[in-house]
Amino acid sequence: MQTRGYAFFSQLDEGSEQMQLLAMEQADLSKKPLYQDSEGLALRFDGASFIRDAQELHHFYPNLSPAIRSALVFHRCGWFRTGEYLKSMLFEAMASRFTFARATVEELNWGNSKVTLKLDDGTAIVADKVIICAGQYSQALLQRIDINLPIAYESHSKVVLPDLSRSLSGMPFSFYADTFELNFNAEELAAEPALAGLQGQALPGHFHVRENWSDVLGEPSVQALWTYDCEPMDEPHPYYPDGSVTHTGIYTKMPDNLPCIGTLVSGKIYINSALSGFGYMFSQQASELIARHCMDDGDVPTIFDPLRSIDTIGDSLSPHRRGQM
């Protein structure tokens, strides 16, 4: 695991002001410190730092564009190899003698004191309590109990590009927060006609990139993802640079980008889903929250309530909650 943090960068006064408001909001939510300077930046492992001194900023991140004027750095986050993480979870489950079933849930019933899941292979699982952690299949499973949550599914693609200069070596997971335009010359448009649809448009920010550990290209590389289209789609955008490798995954999310963690049927059925772009980062804490909650050993923050007001969700949308983040 790499714990370099997440950093949002802006070259605009407006972008800096938005990031400062976001920093204050997150500090209030997390009850973690918000630092307003860069002193000791490299040694901070909790809270967030908001830096508006360009000279200090470029001292710590020398590969940044000179145009960058401010940064918001969240310290207690990072990234890791998800494949290795999933294998370790599987081995832990096997060592703990978990029971695995490969089947589709056809019915989910609760009556008396038990919950029953009837599977398409003819078997049934009976339990005191059930936690729905079905990811992109959550909505279909919820329909079995006549609950409809506004969970949406988005297809997100990432691209791996060569980085022979190692420009991101030692950098946090980096986000460019400002909106911008892409302008292509006639030669570029002739070579890649699909680019015409992006020509001259005002495009959303939050292009994000990090150093890539994988040897998929056989050379130093970076991994980038830019959520410029937040509508659900069947196929990724057709344009990717030559020499790149792409991957596509499904994001399961609520309209406000906050997860669903909590009670669906009191004392019997719970949910831990819609973790949006925070899945692997947040999965351990989310699992701890729901496990304690269903064992009556703790409460889940009300902002994660799966049955929270739809009207409130609609009013809460803002630019920094679109797409992944």
Side-chain angles (χ1 to χ4, degrees), residues 186-216:
E187 183 179 352
E188 290 170 326
L189 290 173
E192 296 288 350
L195 294 176
L198 300 176
Q199 177 80 322
Q201 292 187 24
L203 300 168
H206 289 188
F207 173 86
H208 38 296
V209 62
R210 65 168 172 81
E211 185 178 9
N212 189 54
W213 290 344
S214 172
D215 60 355
V216 64

Side-chain angles (χ1 to χ4, degrees), residues 4-21:
R4 298 179 192 169
Y6 275 34
F8 294 77
F9 298 104
S10 175
Q11 64 183 53
L12 304 175
D13 289 336
E14 180 184 358
S16 299
E17 292 167 0
Q18 290 178 347
M19 287 199 299
Q20 189 168 23
L21 291 174

